């Protein structure tokens, strides 16, 4: 019994196939360049082509899930806008993908998909209550309560990257000021570290560059404030930090833990683990497959 998970990212689109018997496992991974500049129709063609090939090779796929960035209208199956993909305002993404694939498609926000994947197969395994941060080009998140992914108002629960960290901070793509995303996303770290990308800042930090180290220290501390806010709200067993920026590991997580302890004085925060995600760059696709599988089983 298999489910397919599709992940629509700004740089790459990915597809995975999940065999979800007693212990779900990934049996296939494929990716292609997004070419976001070509617009939604072309991007959906690429993603659907990738998925159709994988599904045809696998046979017997029961469910298809799609993880997409940005605010979505889950009830109507639409993207409202996508911060890092031009031209995706109000695209009926579910209907478009269903037409291309000839199958039902279950839509979920990409960071919520990552959360679900880490909960069931990654760093969040065994947790009853979990908070996840996804740090990449943007910053997303997800919350699990009593073993269930929290959806909230039209699937928007867990938008942890758009909590205000600095009331007078930088203007965010969402329209607010001082969001966590403006402090701890890849572009924010690149800016603070004076390099083209967060990866370049990480490389510099590893060879002892002071400005690069300070950039991670600062981003980690800001992330720690956001973690403290989420921990106060949810009281989770564990906080998982994923996305490309999480490759920085302890450079980011140590200052985040220190800030959590400094900010949250009313909970036993020493019992809250703050750990890196373990599923890597296919977490979103894996989560989308799990989401689709859960939809058809209920
Ligand atoms: Zn924002």
């Amino acid at each position: 019994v298999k489910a397919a998970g599709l992940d629509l990212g700004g740089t790459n689109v990915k597809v995975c196939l999940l065999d979800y018997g007693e212990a779900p496992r990934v049996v296939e991974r494929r990716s292609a360049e997004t070419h976001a500049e070509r617009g939604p129709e072309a991007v959906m063609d690429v993603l659907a082509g990738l998925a159709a090939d994988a599904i045809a090779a696998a046979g017997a796929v029961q469910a298809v899930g799609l993880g997409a960035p940005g605010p979505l209208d889950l009830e109507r199956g639409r993207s409202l806008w996508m911060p890092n993909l031009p031209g995706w305002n109000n695209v009926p993404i579910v209907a478009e993908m269903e037409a291309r694939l000839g199958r039902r498609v279950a839509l979920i926000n990409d960071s919520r998909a990552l959360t679900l994947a880490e909960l069931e197969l990654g760093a969040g395994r065994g947790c009853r209550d979990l908070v996840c941060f996804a740090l990449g080009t943007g910053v997303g998140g997800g919350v699990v309560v009593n073993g269930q992914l929290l959806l909230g108002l039209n699937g928007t629960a867990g938008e942890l990257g758009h909590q205000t960290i600095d009331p007078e901070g930088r203007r965010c793509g969402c329209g607010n000021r001082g969001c966590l995303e403006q402090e701890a996303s890849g572009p924010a770290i690149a800016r603070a570290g004076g390099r083209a990308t967060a990866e370049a800042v990480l490389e510099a930090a590893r060879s002892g560059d002071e400005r690069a180290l300070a950039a991670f220290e600062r981003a980690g501390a800001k992330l720690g404030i956001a973690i403290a806010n989420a921990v106060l709200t949810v009281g989770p067993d564990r906080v998982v930090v994923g996305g490309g920026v999480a490759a920085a590991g302890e450079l980011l997580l140590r200052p985040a833990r220190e800030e959590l302890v400094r900010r949250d004085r009313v909970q036993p925060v020493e019992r809250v683990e703050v750990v890196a995600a373990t599923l890597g760059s296919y977490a979103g696709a894996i989560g989308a497959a799990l989401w689709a599988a859960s939809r058809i089983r209920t």
Side-chain angles (χ1 to χ4, degrees), residues 40-46 48-49 52 95-103:
E41 293 287 333
V43 170
M44 287 188 287
D45 286 345
V46 170
E96 293 277 351
M97 290 302 290
E98 286 182 344
R100 282 169 175 77
L101 291 170
R103 293 165 175 271

Side-chain angles (χ1 to χ4, degrees), residues 81 161-163 171-182:
W81 52 277
H162 297 284
Q163 58 176 296
R171 181 75 69 188
C172 182
C174 75
N176 181 33
R177 248 179 213 294
C179 292
L180 174 65
E181 182 165 301
Q182 294 307 308

Side-chain angles (χ1 to χ4, degrees), residues 19-295:
D19 201 326
Y20 65 90
E22 279 297 298
R25 64 195 177 92
V26 179
V27 291
E28 173 82 48
R29 298 164 195 248
R30 300 182 185 210
S31 77
E33 278 184 57
T34 305
H35 290 296
E37 73 285 356
R38 294 179 188 164
E41 293 287 333
V43 170
M44 287 188 287
D45 286 345
V46 170
L47 182 54
L50 197 67
D53 286 350
I55 290 168
V61 166
Q62 275 75 31
V64 179
L66 168 63
L72 306 170
D73 182 340
L74 289 191
E75 287 156 13
R76 292 164 64 227
R78 287 170 174 266
S79 67
L80 296 178
W81 52 277
M82 293 191 188
N84 304 301
L85 285 155
W88 288 77
N89 292 7
N90 209 22
V91 173
I93 187 167
V94 167
E96 293 277 351
M97 290 302 290
E98 286 182 344
R100 282 169 175 77
L101 291 170
R103 293 165 175 271
R104 295 293 304 276
V105 171
L107 180 66
I108 186 171
N109 170 276
D110 58 355
S111 296
R112 250 71 83 199
L114 177 145
T115 302
L116 200 54
E118 292 292 337
L119 171 72
E120 296 203 17
L121 300 173
R125 273 171 93 162
C127 289
R128 191 188 63 168
D129 304 309
L130 176 71
V131 170
C132 228
F133 287 81
L135 273 51
T137 310
V139 176
V143 175
V144 173
V145 174
N146 284 328
Q148 294 286 319
L149 181 69
L150 199 62
L151 289 175
L153 190 60
N154 205 0
T156 54
E159 283 292 348
L160 304 172
H162 297 284
Q163 58 176 296
T164 303
I165 294 300
D166 176 358
E168 313 301 329
R170 287 178 68 93
R171 181 75 69 188
C172 182
C174 75
N176 181 33
R177 248 179 213 294
C179 292
L180 174 65
E181 182 165 301
Q182 294 307 308
E183 302 282 354
S185 62
I189 290 168
R191 194 168 56 233
R195 310 263 167 167
T197 63
E199 290 79 11
V201 179
L202 179 56
E203 205 169 298
R206 283 185 173 145
S207 40
D209 182 275
E210 298 228 340
R211 183 174 175 186
L213 286 165
F216 280 107
E217 192 77 26
R218 179 188 162 88
K222 300 289 185 178
L223 173 63
I225 295 175
I227 290 175
N229 293 339
V231 168
L232 285 160
T233 310
V234 178
D237 315 304
R238 203 172 291 160
V239 176
V240 171
V241 181
V245 173
E250 290 302 304
L251 286 175
L252 191 74
L253 297 183
R254 183 195 40 77
R257 282 188 208 104
E258 287 170 3
E259 198 66 25
L260 167 61
V261 171
R262 201 170 293 138
R263 298 280 169 185
D264 183 349
R265 304 300 191 108
V266 296
Q267 290 174 302
V269 286
E270 68 284 353
R271 281 161 49 188
V272 181
E273 298 173 274
V274 179
V275 302
T278 58
L279 292 177
S281 64
Y282 276 81
I286 295 167
L290 288 166
W291 174 247
S294 75
R295 295 291 89 186

